Amino acid sequence: MTPSAVPPWDAATTLGVVWSAVGENYTFGMSPSQRAICRVWRRPDLPSADGARCAEEMTALMRAAAQRSESLGMMFDLRDAPFIAGPRTEAALTLMLAGWDQARKRSVIVLSDNPMQQLQMKRLVEKNAPRFGLATPTLADAQRHLGL
């Protein structure tokens, strides 16, 4: 997928994100305020195995960002993502969230209004990022949690 095929995102300008990686269904970058930002969107043409591989790529990027001293937190925007994460994707998200919590840095997942996604992601955050994590359907709450 080329960067021109990336769907528009309402928060990109507000947060001043500089994208450093563009995957088949995600973008990753840093904000000027040193928050790692990752956005995921649905791709009906992308097989689930490829989607899981993309989740593993994102997890590697996000875990590396968590270890950098200048990184202050992370936002993972799933508002346009598939509503249910499969087992491989869930395992990758578990590692990502635990990495930020172990680094003692704030993490937030921005959710769609889909109840199944909300249940699954809130459970993952409560289990793997209990001290510094938040799952919310509201971008404004996510920004407040990260001090933006």
Side-chain angles (χ1 to χ4, degrees):
M1 176 174 257
T2 63
S4 63
V6 173
W9 189 50
D10 58 341
T13 304
T14 305
L15 297 173
V17 180
V18 176
W19 300 120
S20 59
V22 178
E24 293 178 75
N25 70 337
Y26 71 90
T27 52
F28 169 83
M30 295 295 290
S31 72
S33 61
Q34 297 305 311
R35 273 54 169 201
I37 310 289
C38 190
R39 175 180 178 235
V40 181
W41 59 89
R42 274 182 292 289
R43 287 261 322 265
D45 62 318
L46 192 66
S48 60
D50 291 344
R53 179 185 40 77
C54 289
E56 292 163 351
E57 291 171 9
M58 288 180 285
T59 292
L61 292 167
M62 288 296 240
R63 284 181 61 89
Q67 297 306 310
R68 292 197 296 264
S69 60
E70 67 272 13
S71 295
L72 300 177
M74 77 88 168
M75 179 186 295
F76 197 60
D77 190 337
L78 297 180
R79 290 178 293 172
D80 297 322
F83 296 135
I84 301 296
R88 254 177 82 191
T89 298
E90 189 170 311
L93 296 177
T94 293
L95 290 173
M96 179 188 71
L97 289 165
W100 283 90
D101 210 57
Q102 289 164 2
R104 305 179 74 78
K105 297 177 182 180
R106 291 179 181 257
S107 61
V108 63
I109 297 179
V110 186
L111 306 167
S112 72
D113 59 2
N114 180 275
M116 294 304 291
Q117 184 188 60
Q118 290 183 9
L119 284 171
Q120 184 180 34
M121 293 303 135
K122 285 180 180 183
R123 179 183 51 80
L124 284 175
V125 169
E126 288 168 3
K127 183 177 178 186
N128 300 291
R131 297 175 300 164
F132 301 101
L134 174 70
T136 178
T138 309
L139 184 61
D141 288 345
Q143 290 173 288
R144 271 191 294 283
H145 183 70
L146 293 176
L148 297 172

